[in-house]
Amino acid sequence: MATARKIAAPTTLKIFNLTYKVRFVDTMEADGWCDFDRQEIVLAEGQSREALADTFLHETIHAVGRAMGVDWKDEESAVGTMATGLTTFWQANPGARRWWASLL
């Protein structure tokens, strides 16, 4: 029986002309954090796979929004809603996710 290959988390992300570092930490007050000044996305270890996917996307949306100069009145609510919506969409549509990723 074949075993599933584990894909390593990225250590850096290109967000337009910026390079963000991705770092995992043992403990945090939140599941994740996007530090615009240090260009760093920090993620709490110990989350379920689904929660980690949601948190990663959430923090990435913060970074993309900042780089694009998005002016959201309630940024945290908008980012949270979009991250959960997109994570749920990708989870429910793995064929579409693989196809989309193949276009990049």
Side-chain angles (χ1 to χ4, degrees):
M1 175 184 285
T3 58
R5 184 177 72 122
K6 184 176 179 180
I7 299 173
T11 56
T12 60
L13 300 171
K14 291 298 292 178
I15 299 176
F16 297 98
N17 63 323
L18 304 174
T19 301
Y20 273 72
K21 293 179 183 174
V22 178
R23 184 167 57 95
F24 287 85
V25 295
D26 292 344
T27 59
M28 288 178 57
E29 292 180 19
D31 291 333
W33 176 260
C34 182
D35 187 327
F36 302 121
D37 295 327
R38 293 181 183 206
Q39 292 173 216
E40 186 173 63
I41 291 176
V42 183
L43 302 167
E45 294 177 337
Q47 299 180 65
S48 70
R49 292 171 54 106
E50 293 85 359
L52 181 59
D54 189 272
T55 303
F56 175 77
L57 187 57
H58 178 108
E59 301 310 333
T60 300
I61 291 171
H62 274 299
V64 170
R66 177 67 172 254
M68 293 182 69
V70 173
D71 182 21
W72 291 317
K73 296 291 183 212
D74 185 359
E75 179 181 350
E76 194 60 34
S77 177
V79 167
T81 300
M82 290 305 299
T84 301
L86 289 169
T87 299
T88 303
F89 170 78
W90 284 348
Q91 185 177 34
N93 299 281
R97 183 183 69 237
R98 285 190 298 273
W99 172 79
W100 177 81
S102 76
L103 298 174
L104 305 177

